[in-house]
Amino acid sequence: MTEPENHTLHLLREIREAIGSLDTRVQRLDSKVDHNHADLTERLDRQRQAVVGESVLGRYAAAEVEDRLAQIERRLSALERRG
């Protein structure tokens, strides 16, 4: 039978090796999470920019329609005054 001290040292070495392996895996996972976070942040920023851009375009289109309606109303008022 092996000596208890040697057996304990052997187990401690195995535990140290397992912890080292686990640490490496956690570091890789951490790196992957950081990469995914950066990717998602970039995608959200692009979506936000697209929505703001569409909103601005929508405002311009609505303003143009309002201008055209105002012109039509002025012309209609002028015609009503004549007739």
Side-chain angles (χ1 to χ4, degrees):
M1 186 168 155
T2 61
E3 295 180 31
E5 184 177 318
N6 287 341
H7 184 66
T8 302
L9 289 174
H10 178 71
L11 287 175
L12 288 173
R13 286 183 188 115
E14 286 180 7
I15 291 170
R16 183 181 294 151
E17 186 179 315
I19 289 173
S21 174
L22 182 60
D23 186 49
T24 301
R25 290 172 54 199
V26 168
Q27 286 176 358
R28 274 188 261 147
L29 182 60
D30 187 44
S31 176
K32 186 176 181 181
V33 167
D34 286 345
H35 176 73
N36 287 343
H37 178 264
D39 182 51
L40 289 173
T41 300
E42 181 181 332
R43 290 168 66 184
L44 283 172
D45 287 344
R46 278 188 269 148
Q47 287 289 338
R48 195 173 294 118
Q49 288 172 352
V51 168
V52 168
E54 288 177 8
S55 177
V56 169
L57 288 175
R59 284 188 220 141
Y60 281 128
E64 184 178 329
V65 168
E66 289 295 323
D67 289 344
R68 292 176 75 187
L69 285 174
Q71 289 174 3
I72 291 170
E73 288 172 352
R74 281 193 298 272
R75 289 168 51 193
L76 183 60
S77 293
L79 287 175
E80 287 175 342
R81 277 186 250 130
R82 285 185 190 176

